[in-house]
Amino acid sequence: MMKYLISIYAFLIVLVSQAQEDNLNIHFHKNIEFLGYIIELGDPSDNDPNHPISKLIHQYPENRTKKSLEEIFGMGADIDYGVFISLMYNLPEFPLAPNYLLPEEQATELGFETEEELTFIQTLVQKVDAFYSESHFETIWANLKPYCDSTLIQIHEFNEIPSIIKEIESFYESSFTQYDIVPSLTIWSSPGWGGANANGSTARFILGPIEKDYIFKKEGFQSLAIHEFGHAFANQIVLQHDAELKKTEALFLPIKADMAPQGYSNWKTCVIEHFVRAGEVIILEQLKNPNRSEALLHEYRDNRKFIYLDSIVQKLKEYRISNKVDYKKSVKSILLDLHDSYLNP
């Protein structure tokens, strides 16, 4: 009975939220849950194994030894998690239709451009679909539903989400038609991924629990939402400045050893991350959360070694906040400032 009451309450919460914010869609995504499940089988999280959700996720221990899973791990070992997330998010819902083949255009958008790469990613999708059919994940997904519903209730109660999105739009001077927030119970705690769909109409924010044992904590959610939605805005604007990026490329050398283990293996990805984190620090301040803003600035600059962050934060405050220069022009000016300060002092 409680299972159905939770489901009904979650449905009502969703209806109320959609009436208030038609452009905000908070929902679970079966393919993302399945990807988290695959990762969990290969690299188990530190969640309490006796937690009810953990027991549901691991109710088929024999899946760990499936040949199809081993093939997925072998083929996908060098694929970035962000690429895998985008792939699974944009695929039709599993199980796939018989003879489904990943479209060439979609593969190209993910970076698989040659004929050999196209065949590789299409084959990998087929392997994932084969494992889906063998894994009983449809049962796991159905059993998780009450916990998904209660998680949606919890996130809908973070009633500052619309104000966060409004502040992000104001800072970046841009907006999307729709904002998707996709929580996951199978992904390990603390990560998030952000971006936009191919036609630029939807910004997405995919996240695991904020803390282990499937806890979605309000404060951590706020900063993670600003960060990951920030990628949907900042990525494509930063990448428009090709000349300035080439001119400042040497700035990557002093921090390459610190950035590469964090997943930023070149200057473009590194400088995007600098701008996204700078936006996170400033927007938190604008949202009257100066303590969190300062704590993140310290963490990113001193512990994560984003050594240009101080300069970018100060310049963005000067250009965007004080002088009302648009974000694109601000990025260009800051890249030139970085060149003059560090490479041509």
Side-chain angles (χ1 to χ4, degrees), residues 80 252 256-266 269-270 273 277 304 306:
D80 181 79
F252 186 58
K256 182 177 181 179
D258 293 310
M259 291 292 108
Q262 299 181 61
Y264 313 116
S265 58
N266 56 64
T269 58
C270 175
E273 200 64 25
R277 290 171 194 256
R304 303 286 293 275
F306 287 86

Side-chain angles (χ1 to χ4, degrees), residues 236-251:
Q236 47 96 13
I237 293 177
V238 173
L239 291 175
Q240 289 176 26
H241 298 89
D242 193 57
E244 290 76 21
L245 289 169
K246 288 179 180 177
K247 195 173 182 179
T248 53
E249 197 168 13
L251 293 175

Side-chain angles (χ1 to χ4, degrees), residues 140-174:
I140 297 172
W141 170 249
N143 290 343
L144 286 174
K145 189 176 187 308
Y147 297 97
C148 292
D149 290 345
S150 62
T151 298
L152 291 178
I153 292 171
Q154 186 179 356
I155 293 176
H156 277 291
E157 288 173 349
F158 298 165
N159 53 18
E160 78 275 17
I161 295 175
S163 63
I164 291 173
I165 292 175
K166 183 178 179 180
E167 196 63 48
I168 293 171
E169 290 177 336
S170 175
F171 177 75
Y172 289 106
E173 269 191 327
S174 184

Side-chain angles (χ1 to χ4, degrees), residues 52-251:
I53 295 176
S54 299
K55 289 183 176 180
L56 288 177
I57 291 172
H58 291 282
Q59 63 186 287
Y60 297 105
E62 66 273 17
N63 282 342
R64 292 182 183 275
T65 59
K66 298 281 187 184
K67 186 174 186 296
S68 53
L69 180 65
E70 183 181 341
E71 290 173 339
I72 291 169
F73 288 150
M75 294 183 68
D78 295 325
I79 298 178
D80 181 79
Y81 280 134
V83 173
F84 239 134
I85 287 283
S86 293
L87 172 65
M88 297 292 278
Y89 180 83
N90 290 299
L91 281 172
E93 185 176 281
F94 285 94
L96 300 176
N99 303 317
Y100 173 84
L101 206 60
L102 181 71
E104 184 176 348
E105 181 182 356
Q106 191 173 336
T108 301
E109 289 169 359
L110 293 168
F112 300 91
E113 299 177 347
T114 68
E115 186 175 341
E116 183 180 357
E117 290 171 340
L118 175 62
T119 300
F120 169 83
I121 195 63
Q122 288 175 334
T123 302
L124 178 57
V125 169
Q126 292 171 343
K127 299 287 186 185
V128 172
D129 189 45
F131 178 63
Y132 185 90
S133 300
E134 298 172 8
S135 67
H136 306 288
F137 187 77
E138 199 73 34
T139 300
I140 297 172
W141 170 249
N143 290 343
L144 286 174
K145 189 176 187 308
Y147 297 97
C148 292
D149 290 345
S150 62
T151 298
L152 291 178
I153 292 171
Q154 186 179 356
I155 293 176
H156 277 291
E157 288 173 349
F158 298 165
N159 53 18
E160 78 275 17
I161 295 175
S163 63
I164 291 173
I165 292 175
K166 183 178 179 180
E167 196 63 48
I168 293 171
E169 290 177 336
S170 175
F171 177 75
Y172 289 106
E173 269 191 327
S174 184
S175 63
F176 288 85
T177 304
Q178 181 170 311
Y179 295 89
D180 275 6
I181 298 177
V182 182
S184 171
L185 294 174
T186 57
I187 289 174
W188 69 100
S189 58
S190 79
W193 293 271
N197 65 352
N199 65 17
S201 64
T202 301
R204 67 175 180 269
F205 163 36
I206 297 169
L207 71 155
I210 303 301
E211 295 182 356
K212 71 174 187 175
D213 295 332
Y214 316 100
I215 296 171
F216 288 83
K217 189 177 178 182
K218 186 173 182 178
E219 183 172 278
F221 178 89
Q222 181 192 49
S223 56
L224 192 59
I226 295 168
H227 182 110
E228 300 304 342
F229 274 138
H231 276 291
F233 291 88
N235 289 21
Q236 47 96 13
I237 293 177
V238 173
L239 291 175
Q240 289 176 26
H241 298 89
D242 193 57
E244 290 76 21
L245 289 169
K246 288 179 180 177
K247 195 173 182 179
T248 53
E249 197 168 13
L251 293 175

